[in-house]
Amino acid sequence: MRNYKRVVIAGVGLLGGSIGLGLRQRGLAESLVGWGRNLEKLKVAQSAGAIDEISDDLALACSEADLVVVCTPVQLVPDVAVTASRVAPKALITDVGSTKAKIAKQLEEVPNFCGAHPLAGGEKSGSEHASPDLFCGRTCVITATETTSHAIQLRTEQFWEGLGAKIIGMSPEQHDSALAMTSHLPHVIASCLAGVTPSELLPLAATGWSDTTRVAAGGVELWEQIIAQNQQPILKALQQFQAGLEEWVEAIEADDQQKLIELLRTGKQIRDSLGN
Amino acid sequence: MRNYKRVVIAGVGLLGGSIGLGLRQRGLAESLVGWGRNLEKLKVAQSAGAIDEISDDLALACSEADLVVVCTPVQLVPDVAVTASRVAPKALITDVGSTKAKIAKQLEEVPNFCGAHPLAGGEKSGSEHASPDLFCGRTCVITATETTSHAIQLRTEQFWEGLGAKIIGMSPEQHDSALAMTSHLPHVIASCLAGVTPSELLPLAATGWSDTTRVAAGGVELWEQIIAQNQQPILKALQQFQAGLEEWVEAIEADDQQKLIELLRTGKQIRDSLGN
């Protein structure tokens, strides 16, 4: 297992904090530096033991790093990675962004960057909810491109495997198309459902409503960026969902028992195949 | 607190089983009889301690009952309640059905029936998941009608309060309209989302997908009946949701950052106001 001398975590929320705790608990990093725009958030992460040092100067923080993990909202990833690469051309630079194609495009010329997306997290944000085992057994998609060297791809895989993640390799475009369906569409649907529910009906909301809308509690800025970065695949997923919903409307209008059973059964089969 | 001599639970799944366990634990029932069409399910409930006796003869089971709780799928509730009332005209008859207007209409002439809907349960069915405290602190909607006597309404409230539930009174129609939005719509959406997700993408489904689709694992027969019994209110809720979703599509197509933030913020505010 590779041991890092100086790790910079840019943006220390739930994911960045969990990376710090995970590296520390596994004895994989000698020094952990947190960089971010919000000093209070960094102090919380430091108190939680996720980072040793706090820095407000990205170039300085990265200058002797051998690993930089960019955990900022997706729109900031390219700028942070470019700065990190400039001062630390031998470091591995990876990220945790929920969208990959636009970032990959903007970082084509950065030879020591390889994108990643660990499928972990949830509606709770902030390093106070971080866990050293957040990535254990979870899928991490590594999105190497045609310009990514084999060495950098390997180092990226080793880093995420070191935190316990299971690696899947995909192109950035494949990733964005798949995640539009499995992550971004559910967020839009959950948020829309919460949004159309009159507040005065909430006392009548039971587990069904609260499960189905849970992710709507996620960060607004974070999700606005994800949606903006993955516009076309999300629109395509939304179209598929809307077409599916139209089938339900028609079956209910027609009181078509067989069709309703078929629709319910299909949904149940796919949901059951995932487990809890 | 009222003590029941002979309680018949018609249909002993998660809810019926929890009623049996709850009455027993609180010392509220001398004898608990389970009736149902599936002998194996009744034996499971008996082993779990939810019922003492098993019966396959509804009229016989109810003949000396002072309380009958109908926990069958909604389409069976009227027939079961009519039979129970015929042989036990002094017993209180109540139910747990997720829809109320059609049942109330069919039972207008049954003077000792008062409908109820405890907002408890979830995607796990069967008395093996039953709990004596399933209803504690949960809302139970009591749907008395113009023909319900005050005495029967009071007895119904007392029964559900005895299991720890918080009572809300509504007309059957108000209930069905509210629950179409807070329960039936989320089920349709969750099932539709699961149904349109290609199985090969499931390895890329994280907590967002699994939370948002969780209720799709619910019973197919149960939900087909709920949807069929509450057709118009569900169609109305679906229309509101589809109109809401169209706003999202337009905002994403137009790359309208302000509108997206507003939509995400509205969903988050309403979701946050409910708590976890």
Side-chain angles (χ1 to χ4, degrees):
Chain A
M1 191 55 58
R2 192 176 185 104
N3 201 318
Y4 303 97
K5 289 215 171 85
R6 182 176 170 88
V7 178
V8 174
I9 301 173
V12 195
L14 175 69
L15 296 180
S18 297
I19 289 166
L21 292 174
L23 289 172
R24 183 185 303 284
Q25 197 190 59
R26 291 166 179 77
L28 293 173
E30 288 174 27
S31 163
L32 289 158
V33 185
W35 172 85
R37 295 174 300 173
N38 182 332
L39 192 63
E40 290 310 310
K41 270 181 72 175
L42 292 171
K43 283 184 181 165
V44 170
Q46 195 177 30
S47 305
I51 51 176
D52 303 305
E53 275 177 56
I54 289 174
S55 169
D56 62 357
D57 185 327
L58 182 64
L60 199 62
C62 293
S63 64
E64 294 189 12
D66 49 356
L67 171 67
V68 178
V69 192
V70 189
C71 306
T72 61
V74 284
Q75 283 175 4
L76 286 177
V77 172
D79 281 353
V80 172
V82 164
T83 299
S85 178
R86 185 170 45 79
V87 295
K90 291 190 176 165
L92 169 66
I93 304 170
T94 185
D95 77 328
V96 302
S98 297
T99 58
K100 303 267 60 113
K102 285 203 178 176
I103 291 172
K105 187 92 190 142
Q106 288 177 270
L107 293 175
E108 257 176 357
E109 312 286 318
V110 175
N112 52 338
F113 174 82
C114 180
H117 178 204
L119 304 186
E123 81 281 5
K124 284 181 180 167
S125 62
S127 62
E128 60 271 34
H129 298 112
S131 154
D133 296 319
L134 187 70
F135 308 105
C136 273
R138 307 302 288 268
T139 296
C140 182
V141 186
I142 306 286
T143 52
T145 66
E146 287 173 8
T147 63
T148 310
S149 73
H150 188 59
I152 284 292
Q153 181 180 346
L154 262 183
R155 282 170 67 185
T156 308
E157 292 173 2
Q158 280 169 357
F159 164 65
W160 286 105
E161 281 170 349
L163 293 173
K166 293 180 298 186
I167 305 302
I168 291 185
M170 299 176 88
S171 75
E173 292 73 22
Q174 282 176 320
H175 167 277
D176 284 5
S177 165
L179 270 286
M181 181 57 88
T182 62
S183 171
H184 312 159
L185 176 64
H187 195 93
V188 168
I189 288 171
S191 190
C192 179
L193 174 59
V196 300
T197 305
S199 297
E200 65 270 23
L201 294 185
L202 288 185
L204 298 166
T207 48
W209 193 90
S210 46
D211 282 342
T212 311
T213 58
R214 181 158 291 121
V215 292
V220 167
E221 188 202 2
L222 180 80
W223 277 96
E224 190 281 317
Q225 292 194 15
I226 290 171
I227 294 169
Q229 292 248 327
N230 203 23
Q231 188 188 32
Q232 291 310 319
I234 292 174
L235 285 171
K236 197 175 155 206
L238 269 163
Q239 270 171 16
Q240 288 172 259
F241 178 78
Q242 286 177 307
L245 205 56
E246 203 48 50
E247 282 193 68
W248 283 82
V249 170
E250 284 166 19
I252 296 170
E253 273 174 350
D255 205 3
D256 184 341
Q257 189 181 356
Q258 281 317 306
K259 181 68 182 173
L260 274 177
I261 286 175
E262 182 194 315
L263 289 168
L264 285 160
R265 196 169 282 154
T266 302
K268 180 172 167 57
Q269 274 168 356
I270 296 176
R271 184 59 185 80
D272 285 347
S273 70
L274 186 77
N276 204 44
Chain B
M1 191 54 58
R2 193 179 186 103
N3 201 317
Y4 304 97
K5 288 213 172 87
R6 182 176 171 88
V7 178
V8 175
I9 301 173
V12 196
L14 175 69
L15 297 180
S18 298
I19 289 166
L21 292 174
L23 289 172
R24 183 187 304 283
Q25 198 190 59
R26 290 165 180 79
L28 294 173
E30 289 174 26
S31 164
L32 290 158
V33 185
W35 171 84
R37 296 174 301 174
N38 182 331
L39 191 65
E40 288 310 311
K41 272 181 73 175
L42 291 171
K43 283 183 181 164
V44 170
Q46 195 177 31
S47 305
I51 50 176
D52 304 306
E53 275 176 57
I54 290 174
S55 168
D56 61 356
D57 185 328
L58 182 65
L60 198 64
C62 293
S63 64
E64 294 188 11
D66 49 357
L67 172 65
V68 179
V69 192
V70 189
C71 305
T72 61
V74 283
Q75 284 176 2
L76 286 177
V77 172
D79 280 354
V80 172
V82 164
T83 300
S85 177
R86 185 170 44 79
V87 296
K90 291 191 175 165
L92 169 67
I93 304 170
T94 185
D95 77 327
V96 301
S98 297
T99 59
K100 304 267 60 113
K102 285 202 178 174
I103 291 172
K105 187 90 190 146
Q106 289 178 269
L107 294 175
E108 257 176 357
E109 312 287 317
V110 176
N112 53 336
F113 173 81
C114 180
H117 178 204
L119 303 186
E123 81 281 5
K124 284 182 180 169
S125 61
S127 62
E128 61 271 35
H129 297 113
S131 154
D133 297 319
L134 187 70
F135 309 105
C136 273
R138 308 301 287 266
T139 296
C140 181
V141 186
I142 306 287
T143 52
T145 67
E146 288 173 9
T147 63
T148 310
S149 73
H150 188 60
I152 284 292
Q153 181 180 345
L154 261 184
R155 282 171 69 185
T156 308
E157 291 173 3
Q158 281 169 356
F159 165 65
W160 285 105
E161 282 170 349
L163 293 173
K166 294 180 298 185
I167 304 303
I168 291 185
M170 299 177 88
S171 75
E173 292 72 23
Q174 283 176 320
H175 167 278
D176 284 4
S177 165
L179 270 287
M181 181 57 87
T182 62
S183 172
H184 312 160
L185 176 64
H187 196 93
V188 168
I189 287 171
S191 190
C192 179
L193 174 60
V196 300
T197 305
S199 296
E200 65 271 22
L201 294 185
L202 288 185
L204 297 167
T207 48
W209 192 90
S210 46
D211 281 342
T212 311
T213 59
R214 181 158 292 119
V215 292
V220 168
E221 189 202 2
L222 180 80
W223 278 96
E224 190 280 318
Q225 292 194 16
I226 291 171
I227 293 168
Q229 292 247 328
N230 203 23
Q231 188 188 33
Q232 291 309 319
I234 293 174
L235 284 171
K236 196 174 156 208
L238 268 163
Q239 270 171 16
Q240 288 173 257
F241 178 78
Q242 286 178 307
L245 205 56
E246 201 47 51
E247 281 192 69
W248 283 81
V249 170
E250 284 167 20
I252 297 171
E253 272 174 351
D255 206 2
D256 184 340
Q257 189 181 355
Q258 281 317 306
K259 180 69 181 173
L260 273 178
I261 286 175
E262 183 194 314
L263 289 169
L264 286 160
R265 195 169 281 156
T266 302
K268 179 171 167 58
Q269 273 168 358
I270 297 177
R271 184 60 184 81
D272 285 347
S273 71
L274 185 77
N276 205 45

